[in-house]
Structure formats: C-alpha cells, structure tokens
Amino acid sequence: MAGPNGALGSTFKIVRILQALSLIAIIGMTAYFISQMVSHNNAPSDVLVGTLSVTCIAVLYCAITYILFIDNMLPFLITTGMDGMLLIALVVVGVVVGRPLSYLNCQVIGSSSVSESTYQLGLELKKSFNKEGTEVKYSNWIGASKVTCYEMKAIWGLSIALCVLFAFSAICSVCLWRRSKVIAPKSVEA
C-alpha cells in the first residue's frame, strides 16, 4: 500500500496534493479580486499581485516535483532547499496578507455599530474606483464587505497552512534523501 518509498513516500505525495489544492484555492480567490480591481480600471494591490505570483510559481513547482517523484527522478536534497525557499516566501505572504487582517473583525462589517465607518470606507473605495489608473489600497479593500473580508482571511489561513505543509515536505524530502544514501547491508553467503 505504501509503495516503493514506504510510508514516507506516501506522506510526501499526500502533502504535495494538499499543497496543490491549497495553492489553487488561493490562486482562484486572488485572481478574482485582481479581476474586480482591473475591471474598474484600477491597478491591483501589490499584496494581491505578490500573493498570486508566489502561489503560481509554487503550484508549478508542486506539479513538477510530484511527477519527478513518481518517476523516481526527484533530487531530494535540492527539493529540500526549494521547499525551504518556498516556505520563506509563504511566510512573507502570510505576514503581509495577515498584518491588517488580524485586527479586522469580519462579523461587524456592515452592522449598525460601524455603519458610519463602513460608509466612509465605501466613499473611499468609490473615489478610488472613479479615478482610473489608481491603485486600490489593500487595507481598504479587505474591509469593503464581509465576503471580501472572509475570503481574504481564507487566503491568510491557507497561507499559514501552506507554511506548515512546506516545512513538513522539506522534512520528508531530507528523510527520503537520507534513506536513498543508506547502503543496504550485504548478505553473507556461506
């Protein structure tokens, strides 16, 4: 059931699949936000463009390494380094995306207690959308609606989960590399 690389190899494959699914979800949500901004003739937020760039590169990397692993051609030590680099990139994404989100309570957006501040935010966004070519501020965008807030928090949560998954796949890669370097003991014939 575990395959030629044992439970460690199966774990590596499962982690890569979970990474790809999380990355594709982030790509879909981020691309939707960018398309909304561009459809209003505004420049998209640098935070969203950066998130989209990192996740697109990461999903390609996951697909390539998964195929190479199945064909037993994956250089495990290089994969460990690349997983570490993507881990660092995703930590940056998680921090940049999450910094303003950590202070935002999505449930109160649109409630009567904050209706005045929401109205002000709406005016700010409307002004931004009416000026063609202006860049939409990320901090304003995330508070535009409950749906936007929850989707951005989902992106943030998936970024954090991806940090854990890439750390885990790096550990699996180094263990698989170590296993491939261990020389099997020779049998003694009488």
Side-chain angles (χ1 to χ4, degrees), residues 4-5 9 12-17 19-20 58-76 79 83:
N5 288 314
F12 181 82
K13 286 193 275 188
I14 291 169
V15 167
R16 275 292 188 254
I17 290 169
Q19 288 168 345
V59 80
L60 287 172
Y61 168 76
C62 286
I64 290 168
T65 56
Y66 188 81
I67 292 167
L68 290 174
F69 180 77
I70 289 176
D71 288 342
N72 289 327
M73 296 173 51
L74 185 64
F76 293 117
T79 302
D83 280 1

Side-chain angles (χ1 to χ4, degrees), residues 82-140:
M82 291 296 294
D83 280 1
M85 288 176 26
L86 279 173
L87 171 63
I88 292 168
L90 287 164
V91 166
V92 170
V93 166
V95 168
V96 171
V97 167
R99 190 177 326 134
L101 277 174
S102 62
Y103 300 108
L104 190 60
N105 184 356
C106 296
Q107 291 177 337
V108 299
I109 294 175
S111 68
S112 59
S113 64
V114 292
S115 61
E116 188 173 316
S117 62
T118 305
Y119 176 73
Q120 291 294 87
L121 177 62
L123 288 177
E124 178 78 25
L125 286 173
K126 196 172 190 179
K127 267 196 285 184
S128 177
F129 281 145
N130 287 337
K131 295 179 188 173
E132 288 190 17
T134 60
E135 182 177 332
V136 176
K137 291 182 181 177
Y138 173 69
S139 56
N140 290 345

